[in-house]
Amino acid sequence: MERKKSRQKTLLDMETHSEGFRANRAARQKVLVEDYVELISDLLSEGQEARQVDIAGRLGVSQPTVAKMLARLSAEGLVTQKPYRGVFLTNAGQDMASKARHRHGIVEAFLLALGISEENARIDAEGIEHYVGAETLAVFEKALKRGLADFMKTSSVVGDESQKAGR
């Protein structure tokens, strides 16, 4: 009986290997900040005030948690707060929110083009948008522009895998 050689992964050099972990840690640190500024921007663009109570309710956290984050965002120059009024984004905060919204839109559109349900695409895009690298995001956008959605509609795989996954 002939033995098949098992394919072992070869570790990358230390610098290359650690780069992925560094990028992931940096993204994790930005996730909450980007979620807050994006939500504040969304509330303001819909003509609502971005109040602590609204932010807490939409993020599913307590008002003291929101107050702490707003203090951090204010210290970082991303928001301003006025007594007895809501929260407002600075130019830097609005720029961050726009970039986060753009990434989210590309990731969500890519997932939808793959045949992911609207609900799951929205949920998954919320997490993926913070971790996707610039190169990957550019390829997602390029695939979308070149007709990924139409290509996937003709594929017999669309919907099969997402239904097996139980979502």
Side-chain angles (χ1 to χ4, degrees):
M1 183 169 159
E2 188 178 310
R3 283 184 147 181
K4 290 184 180 179
K5 287 187 177 180
S6 65
R7 202 172 190 190
Q8 292 182 343
K9 282 188 174 181
T10 304
L11 286 175
L12 300 170
D13 67 274
M14 200 177 309
E15 183 64 29
T16 304
H17 197 183
S18 66
E19 181 56 33
F21 293 107
R22 277 196 295 274
N24 194 346
R25 283 192 302 275
R28 271 197 311 253
Q29 289 177 354
K30 289 182 2 183
V31 169
L32 280 176
V33 171
E34 288 178 345
D35 282 345
Y36 272 79
V37 296
E38 191 176 3
L39 175 58
I40 292 165
S41 176
D42 290 345
L43 289 169
L44 294 172
S45 67
E46 287 189 4
Q48 299 180 36
E49 257 191 88
R51 301 175 305 151
Q52 282 189 25
V53 65
D54 300 320
I55 296 167
R58 291 192 177 265
L59 293 176
V61 297
S62 69
Q63 285 192 54
T65 298
V66 172
K68 287 178 191 175
M69 179 55 83
L70 291 177
R72 175 182 169 187
L73 297 176
S74 182
E76 291 182 17
L78 299 170
V79 301
T80 59
Q81 294 178 272
K82 297 180 182 175
Y84 309 106
R85 300 249 350 249
V87 180
F88 301 91
L89 293 175
T90 63
N91 288 338
Q94 189 58 53
D95 185 51
M96 179 183 280
S98 295
K99 288 176 181 174
R101 188 176 299 107
H102 179 72
R103 279 194 323 272
H104 182 103
I106 293 170
V107 171
E108 188 171 341
F110 186 80
L111 295 174
L112 289 169
L114 291 177
I116 307 299
S117 70
E118 285 187 35
E119 180 182 357
N120 285 317
R122 182 181 44 79
I123 291 167
D124 291 344
E126 187 56 50
I128 295 169
E129 73 175 277
H130 302 288
Y131 294 93
V132 67
E135 179 184 3
T136 302
L137 192 66
V139 172
F140 282 7
E141 194 168 27
K142 187 176 184 180
L144 288 165
K145 287 179 180 174
R146 290 191 175 177
L148 176 64
D150 291 335
F151 171 77
M152 292 304 293
K153 286 177 187 172
T154 63
S155 171
S156 62
V157 177
V158 175
D160 294 347
E161 294 303 316
S162 62
Q163 288 177 5
K164 287 179 190 173
R167 276 217 238 178

